[in-house]
């Protein structure tokens, strides 16, 4: 009877829940105009709702009825509702507790498989799980969950709120895991994402550090609210890699030995990388940040060493000669150079 009461109350308050941004599993969108995060802080009504739904979750979890008639079929809808509430309350640790509990029961074959639940429940669960993995900086797992949620969304919903919310985290995730940028065609269907990511993607393709800073600053408030700002900051490594690749290619070829064909120059002076950084807005000088002043060689070395460590660049620094010795093949992995 309590489930019936909750259902009646949910119908009566659905409009107010949508206004407050609370996600209702089974609804058309993951949040429509709102995202997963609220303003945080104390909210007694949300906390009370989460406590009551958690009681229902525990009751369903421990039901010993045959699986066909078990209350466990309500677990994923309840889980999605709890995730929505915990996200609004910024209580992400409680979400991890639920995931651990579900994983334990799943390992014991004591829980219906997720793929037997309605698709909207699966999409909601995969989305929230992916965002949690993203916040934990487990980007590989986040990519798996978010891509599965994206794949399961009906194609007729393209351009809608569900897919936009998934892309809000899938784009920065794939930027970290695969160094892949969204295409212009994909962003065209999502005007708000296009406004945020088109300048950023253009800056990364051009290896323009100054434009990258401007794109991050323009979308800072949204990126911070969605908890993706620090992840996008890491894209600076990609921009610097692309810039150093351009410097490497601009170096041209050297005459081959014994009449052999010319070979690409692999010993690049450190100062060439430094000049490239200064030209594209890199803060590696001893001036006041206006592009004047000498290039700080140690900062350039630090950036190069960082790229080598992250396998974005293959080679080593010959400090005694003031040069970087790059690999003859695959100097910049996954770029064709």
């Amino acid at each position: 009877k309590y489930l019936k009461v909750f259902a009646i109350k949910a119908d009566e308050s659905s409009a107010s829940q949508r206004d407050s941004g609370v996600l209702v599993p089974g609804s058309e969108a993951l949040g429509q105009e709102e995202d997963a995060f609220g303003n945080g802080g104390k909210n007694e009504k949300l906390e009370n709702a989460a406590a009551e739904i958690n009681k229902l979750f525990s009751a369903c979890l421990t039901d010993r009825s045959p699986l066909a008639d078990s209350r466990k079929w309500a677990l994923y809808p309840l889980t999605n509702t709890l995730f929505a509430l915990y996200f609004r309350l910024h209580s992400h640790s409680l979400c991890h507790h639920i995931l651990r509990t579900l994983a334990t029961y799943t390992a014991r074959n004591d829980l219906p498989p997720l793929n037997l639940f309605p698709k909207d429940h699966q999409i909601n669960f995969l989305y929230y799980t992916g965002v949690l993995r993203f916040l934990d900086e487990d980007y590989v797992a986040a990519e798996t969950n978010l891509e599965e949620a994206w794949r399961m969304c009906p194609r007729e919903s393209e351009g809608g709120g569900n897919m936009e919310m998934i892309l809000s985290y899938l784009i920065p995730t794939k930027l970290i895991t695969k160094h892949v940028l969204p295409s212009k065609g994909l962003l065209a269907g999502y005007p708000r994402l296009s406004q945020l990511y088109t300048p950023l993607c253009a800056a990364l393709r051009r290896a323009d550090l100054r434009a990258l800073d401007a794109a991050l600053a323009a979308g800072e408030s949204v990126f911070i609210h969605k908890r993706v700002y620090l992840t996008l900051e890491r894209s600076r490594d990609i921009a610097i890699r692309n810039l150093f690749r351009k410097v490497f290619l601009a170096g041209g070829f050297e005459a081959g030995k014994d009449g052999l064909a010319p070979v690409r120059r692999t010993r690049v002076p450190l100062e060439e990388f430094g000049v490239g950084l200064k030209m594209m807005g890199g803060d590696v000088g001893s001036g006041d940040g206006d592009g004047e002043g000498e290039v700080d060689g140690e900062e350039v070395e630090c950036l190069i060493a960082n790229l080598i460590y992250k396998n974005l660049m293959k080679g080593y620094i010959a400090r005694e000669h003031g040069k970087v010795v790059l690999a003859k093949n695959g100097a910049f992995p996954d770029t064709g150079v």
Side-chain angles (χ1 to χ4, degrees):
K1 66 179 182 178
Y2 294 110
L3 282 173
K4 183 178 180 180
V5 171
F6 270 104
I8 293 172
K9 292 293 185 183
D11 289 338
E12 292 174 349
S13 61
S14 60
S16 61
Q17 285 182 326
R18 283 193 295 271
D19 291 339
S20 65
V22 177
L23 181 148
V24 183
S27 63
E28 180 185 0
L30 289 167
Q32 293 292 347
E33 300 302 318
E34 297 291 336
D35 66 327
F37 296 99
N39 295 322
K42 297 284 288 184
N43 189 315
E44 186 176 351
K45 290 184 179 179
L46 287 181
E47 291 174 353
N48 290 340
E52 293 302 319
I53 295 173
N54 193 47
K55 292 178 184 177
L56 289 175
F57 178 86
S58 298
C60 294
L61 189 67
T62 56
D63 183 30
R64 309 282 18 135
S65 302
L67 192 59
D69 303 316
S70 176
R71 296 175 183 173
K72 290 177 180 176
W73 289 101
L75 279 175
Y76 280 104
L78 290 173
T79 295
N80 290 332
T81 304
L82 283 173
F83 280 173
L85 293 171
Y86 289 152
F87 268 67
R88 305 301 293 185
L89 293 168
H90 293 183
S91 300
H92 304 129
S93 60
L94 297 177
C95 295
H96 287 295
H97 174 71
I98 291 176
L99 287 178
R100 287 193 295 270
T101 301
L102 292 175
T104 299
Y105 277 75
T106 299
R108 295 182 346 207
N109 294 321
D110 201 13
L111 194 66
L114 177 62
N115 60 12
L116 296 182
F117 286 80
K119 272 194 174 182
D120 55 346
H121 295 158
Q122 296 183 51
I123 293 170
N124 277 0
F125 180 77
L126 289 168
Y127 165 74
Y128 279 118
T129 304
V131 176
L132 283 170
R133 301 306 184 207
F134 180 91
L135 297 176
D136 292 339
E137 299 186 2
D138 186 354
Y139 296 115
V140 174
E143 181 182 12
T144 300
N145 293 136
L146 293 170
E147 279 196 328
E148 182 67 11
W150 171 266
R151 184 189 64 79
M152 294 183 67
C153 282
R155 292 301 96 184
E156 58 268 20
S157 68
E158 287 187 6
N162 281 7
M163 303 186 82
E164 181 173 326
M165 289 180 64
I166 294 170
L167 279 178
S168 295
Y169 295 94
L170 186 55
I171 289 174
T173 297
K174 292 183 76 67
L175 185 58
I176 295 298
T177 59
K178 303 279 179 57
H179 304 156
V180 173
L181 297 174
S183 67
K184 293 180 180 179
L186 175 63
L187 291 177
Y190 305 90
R192 287 182 294 190
L193 291 180
S194 180
Q195 184 179 2
L196 292 170
Y197 284 102
T198 297
L200 187 143
C201 292
L204 289 174
R205 290 189 177 100
R206 296 196 310 267
D208 189 336
L209 300 178
R210 193 177 292 106
L212 177 62
D213 289 336
L216 288 171
E220 182 176 358
S221 59
V222 177
F223 293 147
I224 289 177
H225 178 70
K226 290 181 177 292
R227 310 295 200 276
V228 301
Y229 184 85
L230 293 179
T231 302
L232 292 174
E233 264 281 346
R234 297 184 182 183
S235 66
R236 183 176 300 276
D237 289 338
I238 307 302
I240 295 174
R241 186 275 309 271
N242 292 343
L243 175 58
F244 287 177
R245 177 177 177 270
K246 289 185 176 183
V247 172
F248 173 63
L249 293 175
F253 294 82
E254 296 176 331
K257 295 181 178 180
D258 299 326
L260 296 176
V263 294
R264 187 168 293 283
R265 185 184 64 161
T266 57
R267 297 175 181 271
V268 185
L270 281 166
E271 59 189 32
E272 291 188 14
F273 290 116
V275 170
L277 285 165
K278 293 288 284 184
M279 289 177 61
M280 302 307 290
D283 186 14
V284 292
S286 56
D288 56 7
D290 59 359
E292 300 296 332
E294 297 295 327
V295 172
D296 188 332
E298 291 187 354
E299 288 192 38
V300 176
E301 286 185 30
C302 182
L303 290 172
I304 292 172
N306 184 50
L307 294 185
I308 294 172
Y309 173 75
K310 294 181 178 179
N311 199 36
L312 295 174
M313 187 173 174
K314 287 188 176 180
Y316 63 90
I317 300 172
R319 296 197 68 186
E320 64 276 13
H321 300 294
K323 293 184 177 181
V324 178
V325 182
L326 294 168
K328 293 183 179 179
N329 296 307
F332 294 87
D334 302 323
T335 66
V337 175

